[in-house]
């Protein structure tokens, strides 16, 4: 994969995603999306109780087909708007190969474009 | 793990302003409506006409480190909203008819000055009262204007019974330790987290009575805790609902709303009786340990767990975990204040901090002060009052902490009482600045609505035409937003500036209104050279002996951190006399509060437990009729109190008011998910949509606050539907504790039933505005 057509993407450590909707709104504002349209959407698992008594309550943000990895912002040297503002600091933008190297724990996902 | 900090700092210079293409970027602080009181640092991008085009979080800010909430991200939408108030308006119809005439600021000032002079002459300046909503940039403007220009002694939060937000905790901390304290997430230092050589991630964080990632309350960004979790902190969460943080916690205490004091007392019992406390700190620095020890004996973990509806083992575990953590910290919240025994609750929790030796240590609860020695709060300008006037402050005769200045506002219930009864003196004019009490802040909102209707002259200053303005105002004045203001922010470090980079029609800064009125009403109380808000800031900085001008702070990038010291009580940094110890009568951290005793036992000197005024146990008969515990006041990501209801994005995410109910309870009461339901008690009712939540105790429901509907008709009887979904229809005034603080907002009882066509013919707003209210006996 490491050639000049290498894909870029987002690495998300969703263990700490608080479901704050900031990525959704950051994307909406950057792309001026209309009501009902999202470039990234938070999905929710739980809360439900596991057999061991602990609770599963997880948010995971999923970029949609409208995500262009903030091509304009990135061209201007900025971070994608969701990455810039993520309240929990759990999103990383970069080349897929570099993102893959950062994966060092459970609950991490890479989205590629 | 600082994942997203790969900002391109070449694009974010540390200067105040720069150019980015066609846009001017200004680095400033968010500290006005709409938004919270944190003061995050933002970059505002404005076009050549001064119109706000976009915002970004400031990557150079150690405070928020580039991050923002959705509410700040949607600022351009709100700032440029077509419904924003654009110029002063004078009422031409009856109150509530929503008929207005545009007038100039000069005309508005003339009308105000004429009324003020009339009331001053006829019934004295004390017949004029000023109130605000939540504490933000407006605070100092409100105080200065009220004291210097109107000359009356009364400033308070708008009909917030028992001053039940932050003020109880602050007053308690002042009597107990002479200082306030905050959970330490390294926020008072420029280098954060592991870059700070002294800070340590707390081993255990008790998140008590707030949901920090959502609420960001009390100048504390909730996601700082998430950063601390990434660095190893374990959580204990005290909350009736499983919040996201509670799901990540080692221990979740699903407490019965309103029983926080019982939990804290039970934990004190465990920690003291199992000898887990910090002997060194207790011996050297506290007063009243033996008394506390004796007092907590009756509060056994068995009994307290039963009261709290939690498992005894969880209570004991939480106590042991906190006591053994090195360090441990407590991030407390609004639930502490919003109980009749709010002061006792706060005291019990602070006793935990004290006896475990977690006070003012890295990763503990740190003692803090304002970032500059200005009285930039409710007390701003109080020394301009004429002799004898301060003594007329409402509630001071009844509440000793107010009399002796431990609380800087008038006691709110006492103001309501004066309006209703004319005693001890009449109140005829009300000045409401950034406050929408009937939608949000006022308990028993229908009663407050009626009380304000009786007043002779009411001025509302706000961003939008609110229900309060439509129903009650004679004059409505447009307020500026953060980026339309020059200001400084001194609430905790860092010292920050707000630097103006835009204007909106004729909207004005609150301080400017005060300055302008000062020229007409009380020029002798103002320096002649103070003409602009910038002058105002420089004047106050000078007065406070701060070594910088506003421009000099801006030259530092609009943000200055002071050196921060831990264990200030050891270093003689807490007391006026420079001696080690705390700024209390005993010089100690007072587990036993001597001030209460000295003033004639005005309140118990030791923490205690008492059932809420209405509860399954204090009013068992009533509970049969209203068989659920109702709690309210928790936050949503999309809104700040009654704000953001006119934001398209917030409403897209959160269209309607929701209350949480366990599916078992829903089944019992014949309710399906998504159904509009009435929530009712002996005072009145309101309606919200049922949302199922399996994590609640089936005996507890949880309703949202602050709802009004800007999309609905403004005029009465619709009045933006302000009473339709308002839990303040069912929350009393005058249920405060012995010091005048606290209100039972979090612990009511109620019943719930589905809305039908038959039972919904009259909306609560019609009931209140047209039919004289709910008719319960006060
Ligand atoms: S990278 Fe840009 S386009 Fe993609 S989800 Fe984030 S904000 Fe939206
Ligand atoms: S901004 Fe970050 S924390 Fe918030 S929902 Fe998106 S990924 Fe989660
Ligand atoms: S905490 Fe959120 S809403 Fe408050 S100032 Fe910061 S970004 Fe804005």
């Amino acid at each position: 994969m490491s050639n000049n057509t290498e894909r870029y993407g987002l690495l998300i450590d969703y263990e700490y995603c608080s479901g704050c909707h900031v990525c959704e709104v950051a994307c909406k504002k950057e792309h001026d999306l209309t009501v009902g349209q999202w470039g990234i959407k938070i999905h929710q698992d739980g809360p439900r109780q596991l057999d061991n008594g602990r609770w599963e309550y997880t948010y995971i943000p999923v970029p949609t087909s409208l995500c262009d990895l903030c091509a304009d912002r990135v061209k201007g040297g900025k971070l994608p708007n969701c990455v810039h503002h993520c309240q929990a600091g759990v999103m990383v933008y970069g080349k897929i190969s570099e993102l893959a190297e950062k994966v060092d724990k459970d609950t991490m996902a890479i989205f590629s474009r | 793990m600082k994942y997203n900090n790969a900002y391109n700092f070449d694009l974010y210079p540390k200067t105040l302003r720069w150019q980015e293409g066609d846009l001017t970027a200004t680095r400033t602080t968010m500290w006005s409506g709409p938004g919270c009181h944190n003061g995050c640092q933002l970059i505002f991008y404005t076009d050549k006409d001064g119109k706000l085009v976009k915002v970004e979080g400031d990557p150079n800010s150690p405070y928020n480190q580039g991050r923002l909430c959705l509410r700040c991200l949607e600022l351009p939408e709100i700032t440029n909203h077509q419904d924003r108030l654009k110029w002063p308006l004078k009422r031409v119809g009856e109150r509530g008819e929503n008929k207005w005439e545009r007038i100039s600021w000069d005309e508005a000032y003339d009308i105000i000055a004429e009324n003020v002079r009339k009331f001053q002459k006829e019934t004295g300046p004390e017949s004029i009262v000023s109130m605000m909503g939540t504490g933000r940039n407006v605070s100092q403007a409100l105080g200065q204007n009220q004291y210097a220009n109107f000359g009356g002694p009364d400033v308070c939060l708008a009909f917030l019974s028992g001053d039940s937000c932050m003020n109880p905790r602050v007053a308690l901390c002042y009597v107990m330790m002479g200082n306030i304290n905050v959970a330490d997430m390294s926020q008072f230092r420029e280098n954060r987290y592991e870059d700070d050589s002294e800070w340590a991630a707390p081993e255990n964080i008790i998140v008590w009575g707030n949901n920090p990632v959502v609420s960001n309350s009390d100048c504390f960004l909730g996601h700082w805790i998430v950063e601390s979790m990434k660095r190893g902190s374990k959580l204990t969460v005290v909350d009736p609902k499983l919040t996201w943080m509670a799901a990540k916690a080692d221990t979740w205490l699903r407490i019965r709303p309103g029983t926080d004091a019982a939990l804290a007392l039970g934990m004190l019992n465990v920690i003291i009786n199992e000898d887990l406390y910090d002997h060194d700190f207790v011996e050297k620095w506290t007063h009243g340990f033996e008394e506390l020890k004796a007092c907590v004996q009756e509060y056994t973990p068995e009994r307290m767990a039963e009261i709290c509806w939690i498992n005894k083992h969880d209570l004991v575990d939480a106590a042991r975990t906190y006591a053994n953590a090195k360090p441990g910290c407590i991030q407390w919240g609004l639930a502490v204040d919003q109980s009749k025994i709010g002061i006792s609750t706060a005291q019990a929790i602070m006793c935990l901090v004290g006896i475990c030796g977690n006070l003012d240590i890295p990763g503990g609860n740190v003692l803090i002060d304002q970032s500059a020695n200005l009285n930039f709060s409710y007390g701003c300008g109080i020394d301009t009052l004429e002799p004898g006037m301060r003594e007329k402050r409402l509630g001071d005769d009844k509440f000793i902490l107010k009399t002796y200045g431990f609380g800087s506002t008038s006691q709110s219930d006492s103001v309501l009482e004066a309006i209703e009864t004319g005693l001890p003196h009449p109140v005829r004019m009300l000045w409401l600045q950034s406050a929408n009490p009937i939608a949000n802040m006022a308990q028993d909102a229908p009663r407050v609505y009626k009380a304000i209707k009786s007043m002779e002259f009411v001025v509302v200053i706000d961003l939008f035409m609110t229900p309060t303005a439509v129903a009650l105002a004679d004059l409505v004045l447009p307020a500026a937003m953060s980026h339309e203001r020059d200001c400084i922010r001194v609430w905790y470090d860092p010292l920050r500036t707000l630097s103006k980079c835009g204007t909106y029609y004729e909207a004005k800064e609150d301080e400017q209104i005060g300055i302008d009125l000062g020229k007409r009403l009380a020029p002798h109380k103002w320096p002649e050279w103070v003409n602009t808000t910038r002058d105002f800031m420089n004047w106050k900085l000078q007065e406070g002996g701060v070594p910088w001008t506003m421009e000099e702070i801006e030259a530092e990038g609009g943000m200055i951190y002071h050196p921060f010291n831990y264990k200030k009580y050891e270093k003689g940094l807490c007391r006026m006399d420079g001696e080690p110890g705390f700024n209390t009568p005993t010089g100690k951290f007072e587990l036993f509060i001597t001030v209460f005793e000295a003033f004639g036992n005005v309140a118990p000197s030791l923490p205690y437990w008492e059932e809420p005024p209405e509860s399954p146990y204090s009013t068992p008969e009533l509970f049969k009729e209203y068989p659920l515990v109702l709690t309210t006041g928790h936050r949503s990501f999309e809104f700040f109190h009654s704000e953001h209801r006119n934001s398209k994005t917030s409403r897209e995410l959160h269209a309607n008011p929701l209350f949480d109910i366990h599916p078992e309870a829903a089944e019992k009461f014949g309710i399906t998910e998504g159904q509009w339901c009435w929530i009712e008690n002996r005072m009145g009712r309101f309606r919200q949509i049922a949302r199922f939540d399996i994590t609640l105790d089936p005996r507890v429901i949880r309703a949202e606050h602050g709802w009004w509907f800007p999309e609905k008709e403004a005029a009465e009887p619709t009045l933006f539907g302000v009473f339709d979904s308002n839990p303040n229809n069912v929350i009393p005034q005058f249920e405060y504790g012995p010091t005048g603080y606290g209100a039972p907002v979090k612990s009511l009882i109620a019943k719930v039933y589905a809305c039908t066509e038959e039972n919904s013919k009259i909306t609560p707003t019609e009931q209140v505005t047209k039919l004289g209210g709910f008719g319960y006996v006060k």
Side-chain angles (χ1 to χ4, degrees), chain B residues 320-633:
Chain B
R320 288 179 185 155
T321 305
Y322 176 71
N324 290 325
K326 295 279 168 284
C329 80
I330 300 181
Q331 162 56 19
W332 60 356
L334 187 61
V336 175
D337 306 313
Q338 297 202 324
S339 140
K340 180 170 180 170
I341 54 166
I343 289 283
S344 171
T345 310
Q347 186 183 358
I349 293 173
M350 280 302 123
C351 284
L352 283 168
V353 173
I355 68 166
C356 292
N358 280 322
L359 198 76
D360 219 20
I361 61 168
N365 280 58
V366 287
L367 299 169
I368 43 159
D369 258 314
Q370 306 300 37
S371 65
N373 184 27
L374 328 181
N375 196 349
F376 245 38
S377 189
Y378 316 111
C380 185
I382 194 154
D383 46 7
T384 63
L385 284 177
E386 295 299 325
M389 188 49 69
R390 169 70 178 71
E391 290 67 32
K392 294 189 181 169
R393 197 168 77 168
L394 292 163
D396 273 26
D397 51 338
K398 278 182 274 185
F399 304 110
I400 214 84
L401 291 182
K402 301 282 188 184
T403 325
Y404 288 94
F406 287 99
S408 51
T409 59
S410 311
Q411 205 266 352
S412 289
D413 305 76
S414 305
V415 178
L416 177 59
E417 197 174 352
I419 294 172
E420 288 180 340
T421 64
L423 296 171
H425 58 249
V427 178
R428 301 168 67 191
M429 169 174 161
L430 185 61
W431 180 265
L432 283 171
Q433 209 151 0
S434 287
N436 186 5
I438 62 168
N440 183 59
M441 198 180 241
Q443 287 93 340
D444 201 346
R447 177 174 178 172
V448 167
Y449 163 86
K450 198 170 152 215
I452 308 179
K453 275 264 185 194
S454 76
M455 303 200 65
E456 289 168 57
F457 185 58
V458 178
V459 182
V460 168
I461 301 150
D462 218 313
L463 306 168
F464 290 90
M465 186 61 84
T466 63
T468 300
V470 171
L472 306 162
D474 301 302
L475 269 187
V476 181
L477 307 177
M481 290 188 189
S482 280
H483 71 292
E484 298 150 3
R485 290 171 183 267
D486 281 326
C487 189
I488 49 172
R489 186 188 193 281
V490 299
W491 290 10
Y492 312 167
D493 252 16
L495 181 58
R496 283 158 259 186
T497 53
L498 281 72
S499 302
K500 202 188 285 194
C501 58
T503 51
Y504 183 81
Y505 294 87
E506 295 180 17
K508 271 197 205 295
E509 300 150 271
D510 297 274
E511 295 90 342
Q512 189 66 51
I513 297 170
I515 295 166
D516 297 348
L517 280 172
K519 304 257 179 234
R520 288 167 193 255
L521 285 166
H524 57 293
K525 303 257 169 98
W526 296 76
E528 217 172 309
W529 60 274
V530 173
N531 293 305
T532 64
T533 49
R534 205 164 259 276
D535 298 339
F536 183 100
M537 300 307 143
N538 282 324
W539 167 42
K540 292 289 169 182
L541 286 165
Q542 254 178 35
E543 259 195 353
V546 180
W548 302 295
T549 60
M550 178 160 168
E551 293 71 26
E552 285 165 339
I553 304 167
E554 286 177 328
E556 298 290 316
M559 170 178 73
I560 294 178
Y561 282 85
H562 295 78
F564 184 88
N565 285 291
Y566 288 109
K567 295 209 175 180
K568 293 181 272 298
Y569 53 89
E570 283 187 354
K571 299 169 185 152
L573 298 171
C574 292
R575 295 177 56 84
M576 299 288 228
D577 58 14
E579 290 296 313
F582 293 85
N583 194 24
T584 59
T586 58
K588 299 283 177 70
F589 180 98
E590 295 194 356
L591 303 166
F592 177 98
I593 295 177
T594 56
V595 170
F596 290 161
E597 193 189 34
F599 290 148
N601 292 316
V602 287
S605 287
L606 291 161
Y608 61 97
W609 160 245
E610 184 184 286
E611 274 290 326
E614 288 181 6
S615 87
Y617 309 109
S618 59
T619 53
E621 282 306 311
L622 206 57
F623 190 65
K624 283 185 197 148
E625 196 180 342
Y626 303 110
L628 292 163
V629 173
L630 164 66
T631 184
T632 178

Side-chain angles (χ1 to χ4, degrees), chain A residues 8-74:
Chain A
Y8 282 73
L10 298 175
L11 166 66
I12 297 171
D13 174 2
Y14 59 88
E15 177 181 4
Y16 295 114
C17 167
S18 64
C20 73
H21 299 288
V22 161
C23 46
E24 291 176 342
V25 174
C27 185
K28 208 171 175 91
K29 294 298 163 191
E30 174 64 18
H31 293 80
D32 212 4
L33 300 176
T34 53
V35 171
Q37 301 300 321
W38 306 95
I40 185 166
K41 198 79 196 93
I42 301 165
H43 295 258
Q44 179 178 341
D45 177 18
R48 63 194 156 81
Q49 201 160 19
L50 305 171
D51 289 342
N52 63 13
R54 297 196 61 86
W55 288 88
E56 183 73 50
Y57 187 174
T58 304
Y59 292 106
I60 177 159
V62 182
T64 75
S65 61
L66 298 181
C67 168
D68 66 351
L69 289 176
C70 283
D72 286 350
R73 276 182 68 92
V74 168

Side-chain angles (χ1 to χ4, degrees), chain A residues 69-87:
Chain A
L69 289 176
C70 283
D72 286 350
R73 276 182 68 92
V74 168
K75 214 183 300 157
K78 295 196 171 187
L79 289 173
N81 215 26
C82 58
V83 176
H84 182 121
H85 291 105
C86 171
Q87 286 265 55

Side-chain angles (χ1 to χ4, degrees), chain B residues 86-193:
Chain B
K86 300 182 178 69
W87 36 68
L89 295 170
K90 184 178 123 182
R91 176 170 65 79
V92 289
E94 291 298 308
R95 282 186 183 159
E97 283 188 346
N98 195 36
K99 293 189 181 144
W100 308 93
E101 173 186 290
R102 177 179 177 178
I103 56 171
S104 69
W105 274 100
D106 269 337
E107 288 171 275
Y109 288 148
D110 284 342
I111 296 169
I112 294 163
E114 189 188 321
N115 277 283
V116 167
R117 288 203 185 95
K118 180 176 133 192
F119 299 130
Q120 284 173 336
K121 192 158 150 249
E122 290 177 7
T123 37
E126 65 272 27
S127 52
I128 305 171
V129 167
S130 289
M131 298 187 180
M132 57 183 241
T134 192
R136 288 184 295 224
N137 152 294
V138 64
S139 317
Q140 70 276 359
L142 184 87
Q144 181 71 30
N145 181 59
Q146 166 72 4
Y147 303 128
N149 296 343
F150 298 165
D154 290 297
V155 158
C156 68
L157 297 171
F159 300 100
L160 182 69
S161 176
D163 304 341
S164 54
C165 177
M166 189 71 184
N167 288 347
R169 279 175 286 158
V170 170
L172 178 277
C173 284
Y174 276 113
V175 291
M176 194 171 179
M177 64 195 91
N179 230 316
I180 27 181
N181 71 80
V182 174
D184 180 24
M185 297 289 140
S186 70
Q187 68 266 43
F188 303 114
R189 282 161 302 265
E190 208 156 355
N191 293 322
R192 300 293 307 272
Y193 310 116

